[in-house]
Amino acid sequence: MGANPPAALDDSTESTVRIPADHPGVTDLFAVLAYGEISAFYRLAEEAKLSPSLRGKVSVATMAAAEMGHFETLNRALADRGVEVFDAMAPFVRALDAYHNSTDPSTWLESMVKFYVGDGIAADFYTVLATALAPEVAAVVRDVLAETDHSQFVVEEVRGAVAESRSERDRLTLWGRRLLGEAITQAQWVMAQRDELTELVLMATGDLNGVAALFEHMQTSHAERMRVLGLG
């Protein structure tokens, strides 16, 4: 992942809550991130074919390589906890595959919007959680969510296209809204399936009102990313 992850919900103060590194929800958090990264690798490698230019193909292939590097970071973090990565990822396969199947891009521009906006939505969620994690755990999460240099390439591609076509802008605006809805549904499903992860999210946000505030924050950050792409 890597599409401008935001600051915490309250930029003025970092959460004083610290979820211990041995909390069982941390293993789930690393696992869902790991499957997200390996899914992104295969998705980007496939979608590179949609690029109309060699520059685009190389840029997307480089993005895919970065995702694989993030997966390896999470693999090591899980191994350090005595956890086998494939077993840990298994509970999250259905939900993440369902998200990608329901948001399968049909054009190059849809693919670029999904990379920038879709991955950014996930980054919003996990970055906020990182503020409440033990430092050594938060460092792993922030590392795999770090922005890549290729985000600017995506912005240029999309902004240039929508500036030339009102119909393209309208179509991609609807696509962005769909990505937001599907991503929030996926996040809710994952939390509902894994008690340890649900507990971690509640500890990080404070309570159910905090969870609601987190989803509102995700929507606000989504609107800003859409604006950056010329779709606001």
Side-chain angles (χ1 to χ4, degrees):
M1 296 179 191
N4 305 320
L9 287 174
D10 182 354
D11 293 335
S12 62
T13 59
E14 185 170 317
S15 173
T16 58
V17 176
R18 279 291 173 266
I19 298 169
D22 61 357
H23 188 286
V26 172
T27 296
D28 278 343
L29 178 61
F30 285 168
V32 70
L33 282 168
Y35 191 67
E37 297 295 343
I38 198 67
S39 296
F41 166 76
Y42 286 115
R43 171 168 54 89
L44 288 168
E46 181 67 23
E47 290 169 10
K49 300 174 185 177
L50 296 173
S51 173
S53 70
L54 180 60
R55 176 173 179 251
K57 287 180 170 63
V58 171
S59 293
V60 175
T62 305
M63 293 177 201
E67 303 288 9
M68 192 65 190
H70 293 159
F71 171 79
E72 292 298 342
T73 296
L74 291 158
N75 186 12
R76 288 191 297 271
L78 285 165
D80 289 344
R81 299 170 71 86
V83 177
E84 203 276 333
V85 65
F86 298 105
D87 290 339
M89 291 190 301
F92 305 106
V93 170
R94 179 181 174 188
L96 294 183
D97 282 358
Y99 166 71
H100 288 303
N101 290 338
S102 66
T103 58
D104 187 29
S106 60
T107 70
W108 167 247
L109 290 175
E110 285 184 359
S111 176
M112 291 295 91
V113 171
K114 182 175 179 180
F115 169 76
Y116 188 81
V117 172
D119 285 5
I121 294 166
D124 293 339
F125 183 81
Y126 297 117
T127 301
V128 170
L129 298 188
T131 65
L133 297 170
E136 64 271 29
V137 176
V140 174
V141 174
R142 291 188 173 115
D143 182 34
V144 301
L145 296 179
E147 180 184 1
T148 69
D149 294 335
H150 302 286
S151 293
Q152 189 56 39
F153 164 76
V154 175
V155 171
E156 292 171 359
E157 286 283 295
V158 176
R159 288 186 69 94
V162 301
E164 296 178 359
S165 171
R166 174 61 183 268
S167 61
E168 194 72 79
R169 186 180 72 182
D170 291 345
R171 187 178 65 80
L172 292 175
T173 297
L174 292 174
W175 174 244
R177 292 173 184 167
R178 178 179 171 187
L179 291 171
L180 176 64
E182 294 286 351
I184 289 179
T185 297
Q186 170 221 331
Q188 292 171 331
W189 191 94
V190 168
M191 285 194 301
Q193 298 301 309
R194 303 294 295 179
D195 291 343
E196 294 86 355
L197 190 57
T198 300
E199 182 182 36
L200 184 147
V201 173
L202 287 171
M203 290 175 68
T205 57
D207 54 24
L208 289 175
N209 288 332
V211 175
L214 170 54
F215 285 126
E216 289 178 6
H217 169 73
M218 291 164 64
Q219 294 180 55
T220 299
S221 294
H222 170 76
E224 174 58 21
R225 287 193 181 91
M226 293 287 282
R227 186 196 65 77
V228 170
L229 291 176
L231 301 173

